[in-house]
Amino acid sequence: MGRKISTPVMAIAVLYLCTMGAVVGGLFYARHWAVATYVSAEEYENWQEWKTAAEQQSRIEGPVRRRPPTSNQPPALELTQEHFVPILSVSLVVTSALFFALTYLIRGMILSPGRIHEDEDS
């Protein structure tokens, strides 16, 4: 017969899948929000006005020179449209690494013998 999976392993697997689902869902929600917020003609005009103002500020001499934006889209919209796959991939890798590191530490705390060390003077 097949090997039975222990309850803690099953609980960790379910928790992992829920965590990854939350990360993916959150990123898709952020993408939807950015598109809904910044795709309108009014927001495009606002971005173009800000971009023009930033370009004018870049010509002003001072201790720090501003770099003018090069994109024709707001950063949130460009990130969620042009770079969504790399953002999703890195988010899943980093979240997985943190999840398994935390799982390893918690497992170690639970399975440690937990001896209390007393001073010899006591």
Side-chain angles (χ1 to χ4, degrees):
M1 290 204 130
R3 196 172 149 197
K4 186 177 179 181
I5 299 175
S6 66
T7 303
V9 172
M10 185 64 77
I12 290 171
V14 169
L15 187 60
Y16 176 74
L17 291 175
C18 290
T19 303
M20 294 300 110
V23 168
V24 170
L27 286 172
F28 273 99
Y29 176 78
R31 182 181 192 188
H32 174 73
W33 174 84
V35 169
T37 302
Y38 294 116
V39 167
S40 70
E42 180 182 336
E43 287 298 325
Y44 180 78
E45 289 175 18
N46 288 342
W47 172 251
Q48 293 304 320
E49 288 174 15
W50 188 89
K51 183 178 172 186
T52 304
E55 287 172 357
Q56 291 172 354
Q57 289 177 358
S58 71
R59 294 185 207 122
I60 298 173
E61 292 296 324
V64 177
R65 174 171 269 170
R66 176 184 207 122
R67 288 185 292 160
T70 57
S71 173
N72 288 325
Q73 299 176 339
L77 185 61
E78 184 166 330
L79 277 174
T80 55
Q81 285 188 333
E82 306 295 325
H83 306 288
F84 186 72
V85 172
I87 289 172
L88 182 64
S89 302
V90 169
S91 297
L92 290 176
V93 167
V94 170
T95 304
S96 294
L98 291 173
F99 181 88
F100 288 117
L102 189 61
T103 303
Y104 178 76
L105 292 173
I106 291 172
R107 181 181 172 272
M109 288 187 321
I110 291 173
L111 297 179
S112 68
R115 292 182 227 145
I116 298 175
H117 299 284
E118 294 184 16
D119 292 339
E120 293 179 15
D121 297 340
S122 301

